[in-house]
């Protein structure tokens, strides 16, 4: 099967090449032509007046939990999450199928999922491969690995104490089909203030054992981490990607750049926790989270950007890709092409997927939008068509989350 996209403004993310009236040809799921000559194919899409770019890569998600983006006006996120995670994996699988399709329609063509429940995402990956359901390419960690009683253990994380237990957990996840390993290096925000994001959890030795084991089996490792001390543990252990990284310092960013480690801040997934607290009347706590955590994550993005750390875009449970890009833009003041690169070419480097650019030989993951996102990121909320090797779908944006609704005055 072949698909030609003609007459669009083509953003290749390949050495900054932009084609004012370009064409892209996809044959059997692989890009075989990018240029200015109009192409013929089994399916031809006229992209006149539209922008053609690589499909977006979401580097941090929980695909069976995205319903939590639809915010409650009365129940805090923690209670909503607890209630959802009490449901059976079979029920959550239906959530995952819906959420995967919704994200695909919004322009996301690859998701790196970090479990909760990991068994759901592992089976979802198989269902996608077998074309039972339709959605983005799915990379999954299985269940995250945490210390006993650590972050998200009530939501499905594997409890592992000591080097031997961590090694067994990593090998178990990879044997079960994991593409990447997720480790919990500190407390988190979901149950704040009862849970302290600043508390280190898995030790440097435990993290290092997980990294060595995963790397020996050709898998990367990501770490949920907030505090400066826990980030040091992760850097010393050679964790491949720092997820969140709220209290990152310049010293640490320099080391990350030197070691080739990446930063996935997920700020759009964390800020809604604060905004939802404000919405339900817990204004003091919500503003405390904004000041103590969200402002620091924004600062950590700026520090990473200024010190050459590879930045990638991910939404976590509550976020949305365009909002993530907007918040990265606000923190860095980068040109929009560089901002969008965090969800395309940068994200492909971080996740080792054969995508993220419009370039011959890469996977045929393509997003067509109305408008030009190099002029206004909001154009990414107007997806026209989304193309992957297994599907062509009509675009539609993700529903607004609580942060945007409140900022726009109609929550």
């Amino acid at each position: 099967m072949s698909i030609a996209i003609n007459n669009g403004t083509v953003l290749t993310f390949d050495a900054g090449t932009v084609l004012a009236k370009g064409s892209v040809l996809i044959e059997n799921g692989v890009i075989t032509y990018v240029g200015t000559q109009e192409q013929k194919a089994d399916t031809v899409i006229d992209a006149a007046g539209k922008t053609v770019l690589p499909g977006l890569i979401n580097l941090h998600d929980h695909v069976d939990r995205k319903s939590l983006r639809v915010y409650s006006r009365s129940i805090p996120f923690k209670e909503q999450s607890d209630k959802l995670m009490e449901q059976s994996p079979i029920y959550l699988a239906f959530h995952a199928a819906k959420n995967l399709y919704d994200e695909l329609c919004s322009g996301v063509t690859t998701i790196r999922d970090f479990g909760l429940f990991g068994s759901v995402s592992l089976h979802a990956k198989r269902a996608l491969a077998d074309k039972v359901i339709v959605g983005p390419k799915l990379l999954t960690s299985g269940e995250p690995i945490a210390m006993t009683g650590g972050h998200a253990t009530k939501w499905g994380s594997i409890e592992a104490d000591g080097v031997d237990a961590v090694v067994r957990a990593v090998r178990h996840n990879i044997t079960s089909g994991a593409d990447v390993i997720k480790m919990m290096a500190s407390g988190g925000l979901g149950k704040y203030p009862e849970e302290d994001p600043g508390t280190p959890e898995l030790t440097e030795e435990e993290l290092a054992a997980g990294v060595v084991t995963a790397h020996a089996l050709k898998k990367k490792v990501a770490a949920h981490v907030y505090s400066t001390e826990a980030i040091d543990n992760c850097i010393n252990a050679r964790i491949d990607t720092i997820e969140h990284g709220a209290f990152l310092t310049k010293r640490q960013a320099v080391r990350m750049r030197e070691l080739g480690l990446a930063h996935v801040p997920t700020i759009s997934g964390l800020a809604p926790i604060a905004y939802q607290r404000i919405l339900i009347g817990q204004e003091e706590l919500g503003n405390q989270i904004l000041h103590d955590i969200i402002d620091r994550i924004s600062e950590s993005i700026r520090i990473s950007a200024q010190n050459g750390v590879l930045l990638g875009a991910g939404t976590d449970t509550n976020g949305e890709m365009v909002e993530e890009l907007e918040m990265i833009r606000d923190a860095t003041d980068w040109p929009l092409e560089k901002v969008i690169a965090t969800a395309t070419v940068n994200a492909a480097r971080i996740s080792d997927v054969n995508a993220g650019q419009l370039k011959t030989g890469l996977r045929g993951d393509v997003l067509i939008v109305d408008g030009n996102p190099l002029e206004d990121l909001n154009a990414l909320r107007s997806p026209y068509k989304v193309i992957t090797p297994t599907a062509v779908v009509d675009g539609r944006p993700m529903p607004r989350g609580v942060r945007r609704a409140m900022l726009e005055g109609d929550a």
Side-chain angles (χ1 to χ4, degrees), residues 105-299:
C105 292
S106 76
V108 175
T109 53
T110 301
I111 292 175
R112 192 168 69 159
D113 180 85
F114 288 132
L116 306 176
F117 290 122
S119 59
V120 172
S121 57
L122 286 166
H123 287 293
K125 183 176 78 166
R126 179 183 172 189
L128 287 164
D130 292 344
K131 300 183 181 179
V132 176
I133 59 175
V134 176
K137 178 180 177 64
L138 186 62
L139 308 174
T140 179
S141 69
E143 296 299 6
I145 300 167
M147 72 176 195
T148 295
H151 180 64
T153 51
K154 292 186 178 179
W155 296 343
S157 291
I158 297 173
E159 294 179 314
D161 299 310
V163 166
D164 290 346
V166 168
V167 169
R168 282 194 298 272
V170 169
R171 289 173 176 165
H172 168 78
N173 277 352
I174 293 173
T175 301
S176 299
D179 306 287
V180 60
I181 295 298
K182 171 76 176 294
M183 304 183 78
M184 302 302 200
S186 78
L189 190 57
K191 297 187 177 184
Y192 185 88
E194 292 84 2
E195 179 183 10
D196 181 3
T199 302
E201 293 195 349
L202 288 175
T203 67
E204 180 182 325
E205 292 74 22
E206 289 168 330
L207 293 165
V211 170
V212 169
T213 304
H215 285 182
L217 295 170
K218 311 299 183 187
K219 306 297 181 185
K220 285 187 171 181
V221 182
H224 160 106
V225 58
Y226 281 76
S227 73
T228 302
E229 180 182 352
I231 293 170
D232 270 333
N233 290 341
C234 291
I235 294 172
N236 292 337
R238 304 301 192 264
I239 293 285
D240 298 291
T241 62
I242 299 297
E243 310 288 317
H244 316 311
F247 295 93
L248 181 76
T249 67
K250 178 180 178 180
R251 168 186 61 81
Q252 292 172 326
V254 170
R255 285 198 68 207
M256 288 175 65
R257 182 195 67 223
E258 292 171 348
L259 293 170
L261 313 181
H263 182 195
V264 181
T266 75
I267 189 170
S268 71
L270 302 174
I273 296 173
Y275 279 90
Q276 199 255 351
R277 291 281 188 177
I278 296 170
L279 181 67
I280 66 174
Q282 298 178 358
E283 188 169 345
E284 182 178 353
L285 178 56
N287 284 322
Q288 180 182 341
I289 295 171
L290 286 175
H291 178 269
D292 292 352
I293 306 297
I294 307 306
D295 287 352
R296 282 297 298 125
I297 294 178
S298 183
E299 176 68 6

Side-chain angles (χ1 to χ4, degrees), residues 283-338:
E283 188 169 345
E284 182 178 353
L285 178 56
N287 284 322
Q288 180 182 341
I289 295 171
L290 286 175
H291 178 269
D292 292 352
I293 306 297
I294 307 306
D295 287 352
R296 282 297 298 125
I297 294 178
S298 183
E299 176 68 6
S300 78
I301 296 170
R302 184 189 65 80
I303 290 170
S304 285
Q306 290 183 344
N307 290 280
V309 176
L310 185 63
L311 270 170
T315 66
D316 212 329
T317 295
N318 291 310
E320 177 258 334
M321 286 297 285
V322 187
E323 191 168 11
E324 184 74 15
L325 296 177
E326 289 169 339
M327 296 182 81
I328 290 173
R329 174 203 61 199
D330 294 345
T332 61
D333 201 29
W334 276 349
L336 294 186
E337 183 174 8
K338 193 169 183 179

Side-chain angles (χ1 to χ4, degrees), residues 19-34:
L19 305 176
K21 189 177 181 181
S23 294
V24 177
L25 181 64
I26 303 166
E27 296 179 287
N28 299 317
V30 177
I31 297 172
T32 57
Y33 176 83
V34 179

